[in-house]
């Protein structure tokens, strides 16, 4: 007759039905009090593990399963958030550039100068797009360089970038890359 601990170990190792024996009775009823195989067996197999080791392994696997369930729930939430976000239907991009010498007159100290350049989109966006710009070119005369480029206005059909220079900076011309998406 097997002890409850031995039965638990058999269920863990062989499955709950115990229809197909995974160990012979001789392996469990030998001189080592049923703690494992009597033949000195292979200690790398699950059958040679002590009950405490099997229980510890079960707890570790339960913890791993729990962590995987938490990770899966987090991934499910990320997927749901991505499915709810607005879809970007279209993007357009281009270059805007100032004409030469339009911002070069920096002889007067503290004089602020600006020039606006406008881009018209190939067709209207369904809503006002998000616009990103990045400096592409800064062509300056000798001395201190001060330049700024900002999106000053945007609509469904176009956008305006304001190029600025100030103080004694002498900017010959500047250009930006732009991208609009909605």
């Amino acid at each position: 007759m097997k002890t409850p601990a031995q039965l638990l170990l058999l269920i863990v190792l062989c499955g709950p039905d115990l229809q197909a024996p995974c160990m012979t009775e001789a392996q469990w009823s030998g001189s080592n009090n049923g703690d494992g195989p009597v033949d000195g067996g292979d200690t790398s197999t699950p059958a040679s593990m002590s009950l405490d080791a099997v229980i510890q392994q079960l707890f570790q696997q339960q913890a791993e399963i729990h962590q995987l369930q938490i990770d899966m729930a987090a991934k499910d939430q990320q997927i749901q958030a991505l499915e709810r976000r607005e879809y970007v239907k279209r993007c357009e991009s281009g270059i805007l550039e100032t004409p030469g010498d339009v911002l070069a007159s920096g002889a007067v100290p503290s004089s602020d100068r600006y020039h606006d350049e406008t881009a018209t989109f190939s067709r209207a966006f369904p809503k006002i797009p998000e616009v990103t710009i990045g400096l592409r070119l800064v062509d300056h005369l000798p001395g201190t360089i001060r330049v700024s480029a900002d999106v000053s206005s945007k609509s469904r059909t176009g956008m305006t970038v304001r190029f600025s220079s100030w103080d004694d900076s002498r900017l010959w011309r500047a250009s930006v890359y732009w991208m609009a998406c909605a």
Side-chain angles (χ1 to χ4, degrees):
M1 180 153 220
K2 296 190 179 10
T3 67
Q6 289 174 325
L7 286 174
L8 175 63
L9 186 57
L10 280 172
I11 289 171
V12 168
L13 295 175
C14 302
D17 58 2
L18 294 177
Q19 296 297 322
C22 61
M23 303 186 77
T24 65
E25 185 68 30
Q27 289 175 304
W28 280 98
S29 59
S31 62
N32 62 359
N33 299 323
D35 289 338
V38 289
D39 58 3
D42 179 7
T43 58
S44 66
T45 64
S48 66
M49 295 174 67
S50 72
L51 179 60
D52 288 340
V54 169
I55 291 172
Q56 182 180 6
Q57 186 178 18
L58 283 174
F59 282 132
Q60 288 173 344
Q61 289 174 347
Q62 284 178 334
E64 289 174 16
I65 289 169
H66 181 69
Q67 185 60 47
L68 288 171
Q69 289 170 334
I70 290 171
D71 293 346
M72 283 178 54
K75 296 292 182 195
D76 286 343
Q77 288 177 345
Q78 289 175 339
I79 290 169
Q80 289 171 1
L82 288 172
E83 288 173 342
R84 284 190 304 266
R85 79 176 182 182
E86 283 190 39
Y87 176 68
V88 173
K89 294 185 171 127
R90 180 170 66 94
C91 290
E92 284 192 31
S93 62
I95 297 172
L96 287 174
E97 185 168 326
T98 65
D101 197 26
V102 79
L103 296 171
S105 60
V108 179
S110 299
S111 63
D112 293 342
R113 299 164 316 282
Y114 67 88
H115 177 78
D116 291 340
E117 285 291 323
T118 301
T120 302
F121 305 134
S122 65
R123 65 181 195 270
F125 282 97
K127 64 179 189 172
I128 295 176
E130 292 296 321
V131 177
T132 303
I133 62 171
L135 276 174
R136 175 181 171 263
L137 170 79
V138 175
D139 186 5
H140 63 92
L141 299 170
T144 305
I145 305 167
R146 294 179 184 90
V147 64
S148 172
D150 300 290
V151 177
S152 59
S153 69
K154 57 185 178 175
S155 70
R156 292 177 50 234
T157 58
M159 59 171 244
T160 301
V161 173
R162 176 164 285 183
F163 294 89
S164 303
S165 188
W166 56 97
D167 286 342
D168 60 347
S169 181
R170 297 175 61 200
L171 182 66
W172 182 254
R173 67 186 170 131
S175 66
V176 294
Y177 291 110
W178 62 265
M179 179 177 272
C181 297

